[in-house]
Amino acid sequence: MNKAIIAKEFTEIVRDGRAIVLFGIVGLLLLLGLVTGFSTESTRSQTVFDAKVADAEVFNAQGAKNPHSAAHFSRMAHKPVAPFSAFDPGVSAYVGQVVWLEGHYRNPAMFRAAEDATELGRLENFSLAGVLILIIPLLVILLGYGSIAKEREQGTLRQIISSGTSLRSLLLGKFITVFSISFAFLVFSIVLAAVTSLFVFEASSQPLTDLFLRSVSLLFVYGLYTAFVTATTLFISAIVQEAKNSLLILLGLWTVMVVSLPRLSASIAEKVYPSPQSSEFWEAMDVRLSENRLDSSSAEYVAAERVVIERAFGKKLTESEIENLAINTRGVRLEVSEVIDSEIYTAAYAELFKNYANQKNFRRLLSIFSPTIALQHLSQAFSGTDVNAHEHFSNEAERQRNKIVRVLNEELIINDSGENLRYLAPPEFWETVPEFEYEYPALEIAWRQSGADFFIVLAWALFSTVGMFWLGKGRLEV
Amino acid sequence: MRELLLAQNLTKKFKSNSALCDLNLTVRESEILCLLGANGAGKTTTINLFLGFLKPTSGKAFVDGLDVCENLNEVRKKLAYVPEQVSLYPSLTGLENLDYFVKLSLNNRLGKAELQNLLDRVGLNKSAANKRVNGYSKGMRQKVGLAISLAKNAQALLLDEPLSGLDPSAANEFTTILRNLADQGTAVLMATHDLFRAREIADRIGIMKSGSLVKDLSPTSVDQSTLEEIYLQQMRDTELV
Ligand SMILES: Nc1ncnc2c1ncn2[C@@H]1O[C@H](COP(=O)(O)OP(=O)(O)OP(=O)(O)O)[C@@H](O)[C@H]1O
Ligand SMILES: [Mg+2]
C-alpha cells in the first residue's frame, strides 16, 4: 500500500515540470555553495601552506644569531584547513589562521578578523552548509505543503480514505517521498564535499576513515533536521483546509525558524555575553601580568628559578652545584617570567573561550524555538570549524610557543654566562627547534562536545514525527 | 436478508442548519435503493455519514452491523464509493488512476489487462484510458470513478449521482452492471435525480425531503408518470414549507 503511494507521488513529481525546475534550482544553489566554499578554503589552505614553508625556511636560515632575538623574530603556528571547512567554514572566516609564537606574548589568532565582522555575521557564510540549512527546508515545504491539503481540496483525500487506507499510511507514504528526495540532495552535497576535499586538500592529509565518519555524522544530523521539517510540513498540510494556507503558514515558519531566529539568537547571545574588544582584552592582560610578577627575592621566585635551571640541564641539582654553574642569568630570568606569565595567559584565554561557550549555551537555549540553531552548532562541530576547534588550536599553539621559547632560552642559559645576551647560536641550531605539527581534535571529541545540540535536534525530529502520526490516528476531518 | 446499510434516527446538523433529521433507512443485500430528493435534501450527507466522513449529531449508521463511528477502517473496507464529483490525479492517465486506487483498496494489484477490462465495462476505451486525466471530459472521469468502485468488489456500493455526465449507452451499460452486482448480493445505495433510471433499476425508491425519508416506494407499484407526480407533489410541499 505504501509502495503504491510512494510510486504515485514520484510519478506525479516527475511529470510536474515545476518540480523538475525546482530540483534544478536547488542543485545549482548547492553547487554554487560548494564552489564558493572550495575557492575560499583552497585559497586559505594554499596561503597557510605557503606561509608555513616560507616561515620554516626563513627561521632555519637565520645563520648565527642570539636565541632571544630569534624568539622575537619568527616562528608561526599555522592552522591547517579543517576537515570539512569547505562544507561549513564555521568561524574560520572570523578567526585568524596563524599565531605568531613570540617570546613574552601569547598572541591572538582571534581578534583581528572579529573586529571587522559582527557576531551576527559569525554564522552566515555562503557555503554548502549555509545553502543546505536555508534551502532544504524550502524544498521540503514546496514539495510537501499541498501533500494532504491539496488532496483534500481536490476531493481525492476522501476517495483514498474510502478505499480503507488510513490517513496514517498516507502520511507515511508522503513522508517517505518528500524525505527521500531531500535526503538525496543531502547525500549529493555531503559526498561531493567529502570527495572534493579529498582532492583539493591533499596537503592536510586527512585519514579516509575520519572523513567518512564526519560525512556520516553530518548526514545523520542533517537527516534528523530534514525529518523534522518534513513532519512539520505534513502536519500543517494535514490540519489546514486549503493548500495555499498551508504554504503561507509554512513560509512564515521558515522565515522565523530558519532565517530569523538563528541570526537573532547570535546577536542576542553577543549582547548578553559580549566578546571583549581586542584593546580591552590586552589592557586587562597587562594589568594581570604585572600584578602577577614576583619579587626576585621571594621564595616562590627562587623555587621557579630552580625548576627552570634543573630543566635546562635535565637533572636534579644541589644548591651549591647551581651556584657554581656558569649560566646566563638573563636567560634564566627570561624563562622564569615565561613560566609565570604562562599561567595568566592560560587563565585569560580560558575565560575568553568560556565567554564563547556561554554564548553558545545561550543560543542553545533559544533552540527551544528552532532546531536550526542546534543544527548549525552540530554542522560546525563535525566540520571542525567551531569555536571549540579553534580553542584547541589556540591551546596547542600556546603549548608550542612555550616549547620553542624554552628551547631558545635554554640554549642561552647553557651556552652563555653572565648578564648579557651576547651568545650567538650556530646556524645548525635552528633546525633543532621543533616544528609545529597540528592535528585536529578527533571527531569523537566533537561528538562529546555536541551532546546537547544533538539531543535538541533529535527531540525536535521525534516530537514532530510523533505529532504527525498522532494526527493520522486522530479523527482528522477528511 | 442481511441489512448491509442501516440508518437509525440519523441526524446531522451543520451549525443551526439540519441537513438530516431522524433519518431511518435500510438497504439489504441484493437490494438497490435509489434516493430521490431536491437539491439540499440530504442525499450526499447520508452517504458521507455511512462513510464516516462526517460524524452524526445524533443517531447511528451501521454497515453490516458495525457502528460506523467505532469501526471506521473495517467499515470502509466493506464499502465502495463514487463521489458526487469524481476527483482524479490530472497528471496520471485514467488507467494509472484506476491502478492507484485499486492498489489502495485491494492491497494488491491487478494486471493491466484486468484494469483495462474494468474500464471497458464502464465504457472507457483503451486509447482514452491511456490519456492523462487533465484532458478528460466529465463523463470520462465519471467512468473512471465507476471502475474504481467496481474493482473493489465491496459488499455495499454508495453512489452519489453516478450516472451524471454519462452518455446514454454508458448509462445503460452501468445500470446493467449494477443490476448484476445486486443479483450477486451487493447492496446499492444510489442518490440520483433521474426518475426514469431510478424506476428502471431500483428495488425501492426513497424520496427525501429536508433530511428525512418521506416516501418509500416499490417501483413495481408505480408507473413512470405516477412516480413523477408523487415526486413533484413532495417538492411542492417543500416549497410551501
Ligand atoms: N459541509 C457542510 N457545511 C454546512 N452545510 C452543509 C455541508 N454539507 C451539506 N450542508 C447542508 O446540508 C444540507 C444537505 O446537503 P446535501 O449535500 O446532503 O444535499 P443533497 O441532497 O446531496 O443535494 P444535491 O442534490 O444538490 O446533491 C444542505 O442544506 C446543505 O446546505
Ligand atoms: Mg448531493
Side-chain angles (χ1 to χ4, degrees), chain B residues 43-44 84 160-161:
Chain B
K43 304 180 293 294
T44 300
E84 209 164 359
D160 204 346
E161 298 173 35

Side-chain angles (χ1 to χ4, degrees), chain B residues 7-82:
Chain B
Q8 278 182 347
N9 302 324
L10 208 51
T11 301
K12 178 68 191 175
K13 287 199 171 84
F14 294 103
K15 308 235 169 79
S16 60
N17 173 17
S18 283
L20 281 190
C21 237
D22 278 328
L23 177 81
N24 287 294
L25 67 78
T26 316
V27 188
R28 296 180 185 81
E29 65 182 308
S30 295
E31 194 174 49
I32 300 178
L33 170 64
C34 282
L35 281 184
L36 300 176
N39 297 130
K43 304 180 293 294
T44 300
T45 305
T46 307
I47 290 176
N48 285 343
L49 283 162
F50 275 115
L51 285 157
F53 292 156
L54 300 171
K55 264 200 243 172
T57 312
S58 66
K60 280 187 171 169
F62 294 92
V63 172
D64 197 15
L66 296 173
D67 185 334
V68 171
C69 285
E70 279 151 28
N71 304 278
L72 281 173
N73 282 334
E74 293 95 299
V75 160
R76 284 167 183 162
K77 291 201 170 80
K78 292 173 186 284
L79 299 174
Y81 162 59
V82 177

